[in-house]
Each structure stands twice: as structure tokens, then as C-alpha cells.
Amino acid sequence: MWLKPEEVLLKNALKLWVQERSNQYFVLQRRRGYGEEGGGGLAGLLVGTLDAVLDSTSKVAPFRILHQTPDSQVYWSIACGSSREEITEHWDWLEHNVMNTLSVFDSNEDITSFVQGKIRGLIAEEGKGSFVKEEDPEKFREGLMKFEKCFGLPEQEKLVTYYSCSYWKGRVPCQGWLYLSTNFLSFYSFLLGAEIKLIISWDEISKLEKTSNVILTESIHVRSRGEDHYFSMFLHISETFLLMEQLANYAVRRLFDKETFENDLVLHDPLQITKRGLESRAHSEQFSAFFRLPKEETLKEVHECFLWVPFSHYNTHGKMCISENYICFASQDGSLCSVIIPLREVTGVDKADPANRGVSISTKGKTAFRFTEVRDFEQLVAKLRMKCNATSSPQHIINTEVAASSASDSPKDFDAGPSKMSQRDNSKTVGTEALMTVYHPQDAENLDSKMLKEKMKEQSWNILFVERGHGVSMFRTKKTRDLVVRGIPEALRGELWLLFSGAVNDMASNPGYYTELVEKSLGTCTLATDEIERDLRRSLPEHPAFQSDTGISALRRVLTAYAYRNPQIGYCQAMNILTSVLLLYAKEEEAFWLLVAVCERMLPDYFNRRIIGALVDQAVFEELIRVHLPQLTDHMTDMTFFSSVSLSWFLTLFISVLPIESAVNVVDCFFYDGIKAILQLSLAVLEYNMEKLLTCKDDAEAVTVLNRFFDSVTNKDSPLPPAVQQGSNLSDTKSDHPKVDITDLIRESNERYGDIRYEDVESMRCRNRLYVIQTLEATTKQNVLRVVSQDVKFSPSDLEELYELFKKEHFLSCYWNVNSPVLQHHDASLPYLDQYRIDCQQFRVLYHLLSPWSHCANRDSLALWTFRLMDESSDCLINFKQFASVLDTMYNGSFTDKLKLLFKLHIPPAFTEVESLSPSKGGDLSKEELIHFSQLSVSSVGDSLESDSLKSSPEKGKGKVDIQAYLKQWQDELLKKEENIKDLPRMNQSQFIQFSKTLYNLFHGDPEEELLYRAIAVVTSLLLKMEEVGRRLQSPTSPVKSPVAVTEVPAEIPRKGQEESSSEQTGGSRAQSLRGNHEWSFAFEQILASLLNEPAFVRFFEKPHDIKVKIESAKNLQLKARTRV
């Protein structure tokens, strides 16, 4: 088969290949040991061994053809074959079809380039007719079986794909298989008796990148928990890397960043993820982001073709991309020419020029787009006609006309119906004019020089509209970008922002949505609305539009409506500044949809609680500074300075740092070019101030330099009146700084950094997202450990390991559950301690792995009671502090502390009877039983007090947060006194019997087991006598039977196994029958005093236990424990 040409540095590497044929430009080689008598000696035996231990899917083909050029040490693999007949056929074809042609070329580079192009053409020809080849089911099944056998992961773990590659252990490459599944990156190798097994969960990866060095031409670098791993020698490294990047980012979003994941239905079920689905999704995301389409759009078809450009009179080559509701075209370099045709605008689809396989698409704007050289053009015409018929309902047409017509201010175009009524009802509340047209109407009669320039700009755009079309289906070319860079005219700004951002499509698809949202949202009272009210007067306070109720009310409606639409974001500072500028140039509804486009598509994750998107772009910015401004990198000791100083640039699109008349030009470029425009301008700002920044001695001085620069930026062509222009209001004392025109600055940023490609920015975003989220997670961990370390005696390293195990258990429950309750409770906005919590089932797994009492026969019951004791809020979840505290008592507590813990486990609210439901299982509980018992409410002495405190405690994450209640709760915790043992309630008869059973189970297997059993018998007997005496003193007249029978009960308890439990139950029933209706009970002081008299007890509970051994064991067994569960 023909292979995509790949470089081979050594023709006879390790003498693995034998040359069979050669000529001036090609070499045919055979794998040593293949087809030779005697196996080809020692080298042939080694090669044969290597090939034999590999799967059938990874065996190297025994024949190959290399391309070479004279005087060159570089070879290119171009074909391989499994048989001599197959490779000979390829060799003969090269000799007859290619050899004679190569002599006409002058240079070796031209020869190599021609051969590579020819081979690629052959591969493409063979691939015709198979759009997406399904993986060979037999091979995949073989790989799946090996994956399950090697790693022993739960059967729910979905294998996505696998690749043959090398893993570098030190300087030695190990050939094996890389398996990519929904939650893990796994590698397995077994060569010459050496086994290598590696399992890395995606949520632990902090760096994932393609790298190259002297040894490895190209490899994939993975960093996980401080360790670096390198994988190389992939057949298709780019495809592999893209898939790994997608799976890592999917896991990160699902587990760490639930805010942005919840609405993502495509990847919501980890069991439905496939390689083909991920590839399709990647293409769809790239497609919708490039053309600024709604995120729901899925790329269905791609056709290479030519588009006739009428104003330039030529056909441009590119790709036609078709989704459910749009036909888009982008020329091959992506920037020369692009077109977006919504199907709602299409009036006809016809065949045009069948000889050239042409398709003609007509739109309502009376524009016809002619595509030629379209493969299967007849089928495409039929499909598009069906799509257009499906979307051309009368309602759709009417709605589009209203949305597309920026001049229409009234709902008169609507048919009578609900939407018309809602428009009428809200006409008094929803503004129908941009604030700039209300507060700064243009005077057509008195035109000064600035207004004349503004009119010339408008004329340039009008000429462009005539040539290239007006509206959503206009041709977007280099000329369009040039006009945007010069600044969009005031009169056209709102319309073109709507167009370039793609908000026009959202608005057309959702007629009447905003007015309904305003009705629902106004009057609501949440944390977001409180913050909005607080910031309303801070939004462009110097502008007349926001010194009146008109502007303030419009701003309130837009922000409140958006907070209602997207409660995950709600309201974030900086949204008010951005929205106020949008309202100046766009109508209220348009401003709302522009805000939607910015928050949900153009600046994803910028405005959530942790501003993850902004932090990611800060990291991208730092990376670009290292590449383009290395002098600054060398001078600055801490690159985070650039992130901190530029955060407001990104969050507000420079509106907060530039005068308003200059900032709107930046917003123009942002809506046309996206985040790329902000990155380019940021680099230009730093470069402009390079000399001054290099002389700065500290960060404060650098900030002053940048602030003075921004104050000096002007817009000499702005037609805004001087009263509004912020730049013109500056005092002349700062005139020593030369003025910089914003248009020149933007033009310079395009010229110097315009080669930054959108695809590269997206790749850097993906790469840095992992780093940013892992950095936030590290901060969370440090804060949790700092708080918990004050209350426990574990060493910092042990506490950190326990935290990692706790967090891992939290995630393990999320890996294979579509609707994991733990995942639903993970909220990054909560206090650090409450971000990760586990339920009873997860606690049981950790209890079995870590508790020094996990050998106990009734360990499931102990785990359940321990969990119930820690679950003070009764929400069936515990945090790390509670988990660490109880383990600390078990390992580092005194004799009294440990006994008190055991005592509390056997009284309410912790204790609940669990044995009756499953006597056949002994002490083991099923998952369902465990969850059931953990949710049972048991009345106790302090229940009424607890219920009162719960009522007064603030609700987490629900509506309005009561800060005062949080402060009071915090103060109460600080003032909480050490628990007095006298405050503990008494232990009744059945609870004491269970307490005795637990002690017997704990002592089982101990070297002093016999001594401990006798001691417990003595203590039990003593306690019962004390209780008998105490009861006689209280009621001397009551008839009592001799206590001898009672005191004999403990002596009858056998020594081993299951007999202990049954005997204890028998003893308990005898004691109960002896007492009649009179229940006996014990106080903690009585039990403590009795046990202190037995040295064996004290020695047992004060025996030290090493948690390090348990932790190491738990790290190895945690995944297996989850598999068993």
C-alpha cells in the first residue's frame, strides 16, 4: 500500500532491513529474517522475536520502498507491502510511470517534492468513495480485549481508540500500545520479558503538547502530577494528538468546570464517546467558531469547489461547508474571501453549467452565488432544495425579515399572534433605539472636518455593500478587514457588530425571545440582581446616556435578562462596562444578542465565577510574548506581571483602559477577528512601550508607563462631541507624552502580528486550558491543606497524599456515572473545603483502604456509622476536613479519643441497626443498603437544636446568599469548645451489645487476642454489676432477681469467629429477659473508667499505626477497589 511520505533518517537502522533492489531514486528493502532460511542469523532472530511478540495489528510490513535523491542522507518511506507480489507491483509502477519524469527536474528538492505530491495523489485516489472509513471491527475487538486484560479497569470504561507507539523510559524507547479511553491514557509494553504498564487519568494531566528534540523528531509530551512522559513514533501523530487533546479537555470540563459542561448534551454521556464522534465534533466546533455560527450547528458536508467572485471577475478555490441551517464558503487561505448563506435567506437552488458541475444559489437579497467543480453536484442540489423547503415556513420568513432589517423599529411586520401581543405589551419597556442616536443625533447641515471624514467612511462602506452585498450573505474579503481597521462609521456600527459577531443569526432564530425574557426577569431578586444594581451607576458614568433613567433602565433590563437566561454565569463584573458600550450603538434587543455572542461564543468561560477563559487567554498572551517579544521575556523575572496587568484589557476589550472614542475601534476589530484582534493589539501596546518597560525597576513603574500610554491614545477622526470624548478631557499637563492615534496603533498591530493564525490561537487555548485549571486546583488543594493541617497531627506530605486519594475517589464515582450525584454537588464557587465531597459509598472504599480498623468483621457497619457521625449537615456528603479528622483520631488520637469515637459510633445519630436486612451476607452491605442506611434519620437528644441551626444556616448555591449567616456560622465554629465527655448521652442496652461486638471484632487476630477477650468479659461483668447496684439504690422496693445469672453472661462468650456474634446476641437476650421492662444503660465515664483498669485494652488502643504503609497500598489498590465495587 502507498504510504504518506515520512522521513527515515537511517536507511539500515540496526540492520533491520536488507536491500533487494535499488536505482537512482528508489530503494526496495526486505525485513531481515523474513523469507530467509535459518532465520537470517542472530540479527534476523532478534527481529523475528520483536515482530512475533507484537499483535497482528502492529507487525511491521516485511517489505518497503524508500525514495532517495543522490548525495542525500535523508530517505522517505513511500510504500510498504505484506508480500513480495504486492511490493513488486508498486516498484514496477514507479519504474514505468515516475522514473523517466524525474530526470527533467534541476534540483533534488524539486524531485522530492514531486514524488511526495504524486504519492499523496495516489493515496487520495485510493481513498475516493470512502468518506469516513469505519475501523476494522475485528482489529478493534482484538485491541479492546487486550485493553481489558492488561489494565483491569471497570467494564464501563469506554475504549475510544489505540495506537502503536514508543514510550521513552529514560533514553530507551519501549515499543508498545497507547490506549485512549474516556477517562484514562494507558500504555502497555511487553518485550523480551520486560513489562511496562502506565495508567494516567486525563484529569491529572497539566501539560499536553507536541515537542521535538535531537533524539525525537516529533513526540507527544504528557505531564501528570509532576512527572513527564514522552510518546513517539506514531503513524499519524497529528491525529493522535488532536484526539488526546479532545479527551483531556472533555475530562477537565466534565470534572472541574461543570459550569460550561452542563449544557453540552453531545458529550454528557461518557459511554457514547467514539473516535468518529470526537473527530466530527472537532470539525463542527472549528466550523461554527470560524463562521461565528450558533454552537448547536453541526458540520454535515464539506465540498472542495470554486466560487465565482463577481466584483473581481475570477473563481476562487476553497471549501463549501454545509450544516443544518447554513451554507458557508472560505477560500483556501481562510482570509481572502468568505461567505455565509443562511438557508432562511435562500430562495432557489439550481444546477448551473453542468459541464463544470456548477450549483447556483439565489437569496432574498437578489444575489446569486455560483459554485463550480462541485463533486456530486446533482445530489447536492437535491439535498439543498429539501433543506430550503424545510426551513422556508411563512413564520420563518417573516421573522427573518424583521431581524435582518435594521431600519425596522416596530413590530408591524409580524402576523397577528402571541409574538405581536408580546411586542406591543413591552413596547413601553424595551428600547427600540441605540442610545447614541438619542443622545448624539448627527447634524446633517453643519458638517465639520470630522463629520466629513465620517461621511466619507460611510460612502466607502456603501460602495462595498454595492459590490459585495449587504447583510448576512455579503462577501467578506481583505477589503472588508481594511475598512474595519480604519474604524466603522458611527451610523453603521451597531448593524455591522451584529453581522460580524453572528448575533444576527441568534436574533433571527429567536423572535420575541428577549421581550419575554424581560417580562420574566424583571422584579426577580437574586445575588446577580443585587450586584447589577450596585454596578449600574458605575458603567460609563461620564456619558450622558448613563446619567439618565433611559440608559440605566436599558442596561438593567439587558443585564438582568441575561442573568436570567444563563444563571451559570449570572452577572460578572466587566459585563456592565461592555453592555453599556453595546447599548450606545445597538438597539436594546440587539445589544442583548451581542452580549450573548460575546459571553457564550467569542469569549467562552470569561464571565463565569473563576474567569477561566480569561486566564487561559492570559497564558496564551504570555506564550505569544515569549515568541514575538523575547527582549521583554529576558528582562522580566516574573511573566505573571503581563497577565495581571492585561486582565482588564481582555475582560473589557480595552474599554476600561482606553478613552471611549478609541475603545470602540478596538471593539470593531474584535467583532470581526475575535480574540486574535485583542492579542495582536496587546502585543503592539507592549512593543510600542518596549524601551520604557525595559528600564522599569519594578511592576509599579511598568504599570505607570502603560497607564500614561493609554491616556495618550486618541481618535483624531471621532465625530463624538468633546463633552463625551474621554481623551479630549485630559489636562494638558500630560502633553509631554506623544499622542498615539488608535487607527495607527490597530493598523500597526495587524501589519506586525497579522500572521498569528486563528487555528494556532485555538491550539494554544486548548494547551493552556489544562495548565490553568490544574493551577486553580493546586490553589484549592493548598488552601484546604492549610486549613485542615491546623486540626490534625498528620505530616504535610501524608495529608497531601490523603487529599489526593480523597479527590481521586470523588472523581472515580464520576467516571462511569452519567448522572453522578457527587458531580452534581461539585461547585467551584463554594468554599474550598466544600468543592470536593464524597458520599457513603465512596467513604466505605476509602475506609477499607485506610482505616487501621478495616480488618474488623463488621467494617461496613463501622464505615456507615463513622460516615453518619461526620455528616453533620445531613446531606449525605462529607468534606475532606471531616474525613481527615476522623482518620487522625484513629491514628493519632489518645486512648480516650479513640474510645470516645467508638462510643459515639454506637449511639445516635451515628448508630443505626443494619444487620436485619442481610443476615446471609454477614457484615457486608450492598451499595443500595449502604446508601439507604446513610440516609436514615435517627432522633437524638440534640435534634431540635440541630434543626434550628440548619434552618438558620445559609443555603449553599441557592438564590440569595446571606453573608451575615455565614459569618455567624464561622464565629460559632471558632468559639466551639472542646466536647465534654459528660455531655455525651448514655448508651442503652442494644447499643452496648453492639459496642461489645465491635470490640470483639477489633481484637480478632491481635497477638494478645486471648487476653483482650478475657478483659472485655471482666469489664462487661463489672459494668452490669455497677448498673444493678445503681438501680437497686434508686428503687430498693422493686423485686430483682439475682445478678449472678447476668454476670455469668460474658463468661459464656466463646473466643473465635462467628460464634462470638451469636453468643453475644444470646447473652443480650438473656440479660434483657432478666431485666424485664427495665432498660439498663451506661455513661461514657463508666465505660472509660472500667477499660482503663485493663492494661491490655490500653496497650491495644495506644499501639502506633503507620499511615504511610496504608497510603502506599491505597494508591495501588484504589482503582481495583472501585472495580470490585
Side-chain angles (χ1 to χ4, degrees):
M1 61 182 286
W2 298 109
L3 301 174
K4 183 181 177 182
E6 290 195 0
E7 210 170 282
V8 179
L9 293 180
L10 298 176
K11 180 174 65 172
N12 287 320
L14 302 176
K15 298 292 182 185
L16 298 181
W17 297 89
V18 181
Q19 185 172 305
E20 290 217 330
R21 292 192 196 182
S22 68
N23 56 40
Q24 191 178 1
Y25 298 109
F26 300 100
V27 178
L28 191 157
Q29 294 181 331
R30 169 178 52 80
R31 186 84 162 163
R32 186 176 291 279
Y34 183 84
E36 289 183 36
E37 290 187 15
L42 183 61
L45 187 62
L46 175 64
V47 175
T49 304
L50 288 173
D51 289 348
V53 297
L54 295 173
D55 283 7
S56 61
T57 50
S58 67
K59 285 182 182 177
V60 179
F63 296 97
R64 71 178 182 181
I65 297 174
L66 305 179
H67 162 60
Q68 63 171 353
T69 52
D71 306 321
S72 172
Q73 295 300 311
V74 179
Y75 289 72
W76 297 84
S77 61
I78 59 172
C80 68
S82 57
S83 65
R84 195 179 299 275
E85 292 76 21
E86 183 185 359
I87 206 70
T88 304
E89 184 180 340
H90 286 343
W91 179 266
D92 293 342
W93 187 91
L94 289 170
E95 285 195 325
H96 291 121
N97 296 285
V98 179
M99 277 294 295
N100 297 332
T101 311
L102 299 183
S103 58
V104 303
F105 293 102
D106 297 326
S107 67
N108 289 341
E109 288 80 9
D110 292 342
I111 292 172
T112 301
S113 179
F114 174 82
V115 170
Q116 289 180 356
K118 194 68 182 173
I119 299 302
R120 286 194 180 98
L122 290 171
I123 293 170
E125 199 66 27
E126 287 177 349
K128 270 188 179 177
S130 56
F131 181 63
V132 180
K133 289 187 177 179
E134 187 61 53
E135 294 215 40
D136 185 340
E138 285 301 319
K139 286 183 179 178
F140 190 81
R141 194 175 295 114
E142 184 181 330
L144 179 61
M145 288 174 66
K146 186 173 180 183
F147 171 70
E148 292 173 345
K149 179 183 175 185
C150 291
F151 303 106
L153 295 171
E155 58 184 19
Q156 303 101 310
E157 181 64 14
K158 176 79 181 293
L159 178 65
V160 177
T161 190
Y162 59 98
Y163 299 98
S164 172
C165 71
S166 292
Y167 171 63
W168 290 79
K169 195 168 185 181
R171 296 193 171 188
V172 181
C174 307
Q175 181 64 32
W177 287 92
L178 181 71
Y179 296 89
L180 306 182
S181 57
T182 49
N183 298 296
F184 299 96
L185 178 158
S186 313
F187 177 83
Y188 184 81
S189 171
F190 184 83
L191 289 176
L192 303 176
E195 182 183 53
I196 294 175
K197 190 183 293 185
L198 185 71
I199 302 177
I200 302 172
S201 58
W202 294 116
D203 56 84
E204 292 176 348
I205 293 176
S206 58
K207 182 176 274 190
L208 181 63
E209 60 182 356
K210 276 197 290 187
T211 59
S212 59
N213 55 37
V214 178
I215 301 173
L216 305 174
T217 52
E218 215 172 9
S219 63
I220 294 176
H221 171 210
V222 177
R223 178 174 292 166
S224 167
R225 301 187 72 174
E227 293 183 12
D228 293 307
H229 308 275
Y230 292 89
F231 303 90
S232 67
M233 301 185 193
F234 291 93
L235 189 60
H236 306 291
I237 191 166
S238 296
E239 174 198 299
T240 309
F241 179 73
L242 179 65
L243 206 60
M244 289 170 72
E245 201 172 52
Q246 281 186 283
L247 285 167
N249 274 288
Y250 153 70
V252 160
R253 286 174 59 200
R254 180 168 180 251
L255 300 173
F256 294 117
D257 193 16
K258 188 166 66 77
E259 294 175 66
T260 60
F261 185 84
E262 279 190 336
N263 298 324
D264 196 339
L265 299 175
V266 180
L267 292 178
H268 202 61
D269 185 356
L271 301 180
Q272 301 304 316
I273 295 177
T274 62
K275 180 187 174 187
R276 181 186 290 183
L278 287 170
E279 289 171 347
S280 171
R281 179 184 176 82
H283 293 144
S284 293
E285 285 178 348
Q286 191 177 3
F287 161 73
S288 58
F290 182 84
F291 292 107
R292 307 277 163 75
L293 302 177
K295 287 197 293 187
E296 299 76 32
E297 288 300 310
T298 306
L299 183 63
K300 298 295 186 185
E301 297 177 54
V302 178
H303 298 273
E304 282 205 29
C305 61
F306 290 88
L307 171 64
W308 173 248
V309 184
F311 48 87
S312 299
H313 305 288
Y314 77 101
N315 281 309
T316 180
H317 179 248
K319 291 183 177 178
M320 180 199 293
C321 305
I322 300 170
S323 67
E324 295 96 331
N325 301 299
Y326 297 88
I327 303 166
C328 302
F329 176 88
S331 57
Q332 218 155 18
D333 60 5
S335 61
L336 290 178
C337 179
S338 65
V339 170
I340 301 168
I341 311 170
L343 291 180
R344 63 177 186 268
E345 295 285 324
V346 175
T347 56
V349 182
D350 302 293
K351 298 175 194 172
D353 193 7
N356 290 320
R357 297 181 292 180
V359 177
S360 175
I361 298 174
S362 306
T363 63
K364 294 174 186 174
K366 298 182 180 177
T367 308
F369 298 91
R370 194 176 75 197
F371 301 90
T372 53
E373 300 301 325
V374 184
R375 198 177 69 188
D376 302 329
F377 75 107
E378 292 180 340
Q379 293 179 18
L380 180 62
V381 168
K383 285 180 189 174
L384 290 178
R385 281 177 177 169
M386 286 179 65
K387 278 179 176 284
C388 292
N389 291 335
T391 57
S392 62
S393 63
Q395 185 188 356
H396 217 99
I397 293 169
I398 288 161
N399 294 343
T400 303
E401 287 171 358
V402 174
S405 171
S406 59
S408 175
D409 295 337
S410 67
K412 61 187 178 185
D413 295 321
F414 280 88
D415 284 346
S419 58
K420 180 177 177 181
M421 291 301 295
S422 64
Q423 286 274 4
R424 279 181 179 166
D425 293 343
N426 288 279
S427 61
K428 293 179 181 177
T429 55
V430 176
T432 56
E433 289 287 349
L435 294 177
M436 196 63 81
T437 60
V438 176
Y439 286 89
H440 307 294
Q442 293 184 5
D443 189 351
E445 295 179 3
N446 301 318
L447 295 179
D448 56 14
S449 59
K450 289 185 176 180
M451 283 306 300
L452 285 171
K453 282 186 179 179
E454 186 76 1
K455 289 297 178 186
M456 287 171 65
K457 277 189 190 177
E458 285 184 36
Q459 189 60 29
S460 300
W461 278 95
N462 288 329
I463 292 169
L464 185 86
F465 293 150
V466 171
E467 285 183 355
R468 292 159 169 75
H470 192 173
V472 70
S473 300
M474 69 184 291
F475 282 88
R476 303 171 197 210
T477 61
K478 189 175 182 299
K479 177 77 175 293
T480 317
R481 174 181 273 113
D482 292 342
L483 288 178
V484 170
V485 168
R486 285 171 53 191
I488 297 174
E490 300 275 312
L492 296 174
R493 191 162 263 140
E495 177 190 346
L496 292 177
W497 284 358
L498 208 65
L499 192 68
F500 295 145
S501 66
V504 65
N505 296 314
D506 295 320
M507 192 169 158
S509 304
N510 299 278
Y513 174 82
Y514 174 66
T515 51
E516 291 173 15
L517 212 56
V518 169
E519 274 188 347
K520 292 176 183 176
S521 62
L522 279 182
T524 57
C525 185
T526 63
L527 183 62
T529 57
D530 287 351
E531 291 175 346
I532 289 168
E533 288 298 326
R534 190 182 62 228
D535 286 348
L536 284 176
R537 304 283 171 183
R538 303 175 188 173
S539 311
L540 297 186
E542 66 286 337
H543 198 286
F546 297 100
Q547 293 168 1
S548 71
D549 188 56
T550 305
I552 294 293
S553 297
L555 183 59
R556 178 187 291 113
R557 285 192 294 270
V558 172
L559 291 174
T560 306
Y562 186 78
Y564 188 87
R565 163 192 166 86
N566 191 344
Q568 291 295 343
I569 291 177
Y571 170 77
C572 176
Q573 280 189 334
M575 286 171 69
N576 60 320
I577 298 172
L578 177 60
T579 308
S580 57
V581 173
L582 298 178
L583 281 166
L584 288 178
Y585 293 97
K587 300 171 195 174
E588 192 176 315
E589 183 176 5
E590 293 171 347
F592 170 79
W593 287 114
L594 282 168
L595 184 64
V596 170
V598 171
C599 294
E600 297 175 17
R601 285 205 310 274
M602 301 186 73
L603 297 179
D605 305 345
Y606 260 60
F607 300 102
N608 57 21
R609 294 181 181 94
R610 296 195 290 176
I611 58 169
I612 287 172
L615 295 175
V616 169
D617 282 345
Q618 299 300 295
V620 172
F621 183 43
E622 282 183 28
E623 201 171 323
L624 290 171
I625 292 173
R626 291 189 188 95
V627 174
H628 295 281
L629 303 173
Q631 309 97 303
L632 270 181
T633 310
D634 297 339
H635 176 71
M636 300 298 292
T637 54
D638 185 7
M639 287 292 288
T640 56
F641 163 75
F642 296 113
S643 297
S644 58
V645 79
S646 65
L647 183 60
S648 63
W649 307 355
F650 286 78
L651 279 171
T652 65
L653 308 179
F654 281 91
I655 296 169
S656 63
V657 291
L658 286 175
I660 183 67
E661 66 275 10
S662 301
V664 289
N665 284 37
V666 180
V667 180
D668 294 342
C669 297
F670 168 74
F671 279 127
Y672 192 84
D673 271 332
I675 194 62
K676 179 174 171 285
I678 305 299
L679 290 166
Q680 288 174 185
L681 185 60
S682 302
L683 289 170
V685 167
L686 293 183
E687 187 187 15
Y688 194 94
N689 294 278
M690 176 84 76
E691 291 182 8
K692 292 182 179 179
L693 288 171
L694 290 176
T695 60
C696 291
K697 296 174 184 176
D698 54 35
D699 291 355
E701 198 176 337
V703 170
T704 304
V705 167
L706 292 171
N707 286 340
R708 283 181 179 169
F709 169 76
F710 287 130
D711 288 341
S712 71
V713 175
T714 63
N715 185 350
K716 62 178 186 288
D717 295 333
S718 174
L720 292 179
V724 175
Q725 290 193 32
Q726 295 170 348
S728 65
N729 295 333
L730 293 172
S731 62
D732 294 333
T733 55
K734 296 182 181 177
S735 59
D736 57 326
H737 200 294
K739 298 293 182 186
V740 182
D741 188 68
I742 187 64
T743 308
D744 296 336
L745 190 62
I746 291 173
R747 185 183 293 111
E748 192 174 332
S749 75
N750 266 280
E751 289 170 357
R752 288 185 176 274
Y753 307 109
D755 59 343
I756 296 173
R757 298 189 315 136
Y758 169 79
E759 293 83 359
D760 296 334
V761 172
E762 286 302 308
S763 176
M764 285 189 281
R765 273 178 159 179
C766 276
R767 185 164 64 246
N768 284 290
R769 186 181 186 84
L770 295 173
Y771 166 75
V772 165
I773 288 189
Q774 293 294 358
T775 303
L776 291 172
E777 286 301 305
T779 305
T780 299
K781 178 170 78 173
Q782 289 165 8
N783 282 288
V784 169
L785 295 180
R786 190 179 69 249
V787 171
V788 176
S789 62
Q790 299 170 7
D791 299 330
V792 298
K793 297 175 185 174
F794 290 124
S795 69
S797 59
D798 288 345
L799 194 61
E800 186 174 351
E801 293 284 9
L802 285 174
Y803 178 84
E804 293 295 344
L805 287 167
F806 182 87
K807 181 176 163 186
K808 188 70 179 175
E809 192 60 37
H810 169 98
F811 283 155
L812 284 171
S813 69
C814 307
Y815 283 167
W816 304 290
N817 295 342
V818 181
N819 296 312
S820 168
V822 177
L823 190 59
Q824 290 167 4
H825 284 90
H826 175 219
D827 186 349
S829 67
L830 290 174
Y832 291 120
L833 273 173
D834 290 332
Q835 287 187 21
Y836 294 109
R837 298 189 289 170
I838 57 174
D839 63 16
C840 192
Q841 164 64 16
Q842 297 162 300
F843 176 74
R844 171 171 67 171
V845 173
L846 289 178
Y847 185 90
H848 288 183
L849 292 172
L850 295 168
S851 172
W853 302 340
S854 58
H855 64 279
C856 191
N858 64 331
R859 61 180 185 172
D860 276 4
S861 299
L862 274 180
L864 169 66
W865 299 330
T866 308
F867 180 85
R868 287 171 60 87
L869 179 67
M870 291 184 290
D871 183 18
E872 295 172 357
S873 58
S874 301
D875 58 358
C876 300
L877 293 169
I878 62 167
N879 62 31
F880 179 69
K881 184 178 181 181
Q882 295 163 325
F883 172 76
S885 297
V886 77
L887 273 185
D888 186 61
T889 303
M890 293 177 185
Y891 279 95
N892 303 316
S894 63
F895 172 78
T896 305
D897 293 333
K898 291 177 183 177
L899 196 65
K900 184 166 68 175
L901 173 62
L902 278 171
F903 183 86
K904 288 166 74 174
L905 293 183
H906 293 82
I907 59 173
F911 181 76
T912 182
E913 189 65 47
V914 296
E915 292 183 38
S916 56
L917 288 183
S918 52
S920 60
K921 291 184 182 178
D924 294 339
L925 298 174
S926 69
K927 179 180 176 180
E928 292 73 20
E929 287 172 347
L930 197 71
I931 299 298
H932 167 73
F933 288 128
S934 70
Q935 294 172 346
L936 286 179
S937 60
V938 177
S939 60
S940 66
V941 176
D943 272 357
S944 58
L945 295 173
E946 285 175 16
S947 62
D948 291 342
S949 65
L950 282 172
K951 286 175 187 174
S952 62
S953 68
E955 289 189 62
K956 298 173 184 174
K958 294 183 181 178
K960 197 171 178 180
V961 177
D962 188 347
I963 304 298
Q964 293 296 327
Y966 266 124
L967 291 172
K968 187 177 184 303
Q969 192 179 40
W970 183 45
Q971 187 181 28
D972 291 344
E973 286 181 7
L974 290 175
L975 296 173
K976 193 182 289 181
K977 294 180 180 178
E978 184 69 28
E979 186 178 38
N980 194 323
I981 58 175
K982 292 181 180 179
D983 297 333
L984 291 173
R986 294 174 70 85
M987 182 181 280
N988 68 25
Q989 177 179 324
S990 62
Q991 293 160 3
F992 180 73
I993 292 170
Q994 185 58 60
F995 177 74
S996 302
K997 281 189 198 177
T998 299
L999 289 176
Y1000 276 104
N1001 289 328
L1002 280 176
F1003 301 152
H1004 181 64
D1006 191 86
E1008 293 187 313
E1009 182 179 0
E1010 201 72 28
L1011 195 59
L1012 286 163
Y1013 283 162
R1014 287 176 184 165
I1016 192 69
V1018 171
V1019 167
T1020 308
S1021 175
L1022 178 62
L1023 286 169
L1024 287 170
K1025 284 180 180 178
M1026 287 168 58
E1027 167 63 16
E1028 184 67 27
V1029 171
R1031 205 186 66 77
R1032 279 182 176 178
L1033 291 173
Q1034 287 177 357
S1035 51
T1037 56
S1038 60
V1040 177
K1041 299 199 176 182
S1042 171
V1044 178
V1046 178
T1047 57
E1048 288 174 356
V1049 172
E1052 296 174 11
I1053 300 175
R1055 303 287 185 262
K1056 304 288 182 190
Q1058 200 60 34
E1059 296 173 17
E1060 296 164 10
S1061 300
S1062 59
S1063 164
E1064 188 65 33
Q1065 285 178 328
T1066 310
S1069 59
R1070 284 181 61 185
Q1072 189 174 9
S1073 64
L1074 287 169
R1075 305 300 308 167
N1077 295 328
H1078 298 284
E1079 280 280 331
W1080 41 264
S1081 63
F1082 300 114
F1084 176 69
E1085 302 101 296
Q1086 292 175 290
I1087 297 175
L1088 176 63
S1090 303
L1091 292 177
L1092 278 170
N1093 288 324
E1094 298 294 331
F1097 272 117
V1098 179
R1099 284 196 301 273
F1100 177 83
F1101 281 108
E1102 290 189 343
K1103 192 188 305 177
H1105 296 279
D1106 186 7
I1107 195 169
K1108 283 184 170 58
V1109 177
K1110 284 280 190 180
I1111 287 173
E1112 285 304 313
S1113 172
K1115 283 157 70 174
N1116 296 323
L1117 297 174
Q1118 189 175 23
L1119 202 54
K1120 293 177 182 175
R1122 169 63 57 175
T1123 306
R1124 287 197 299 272
V1125 169

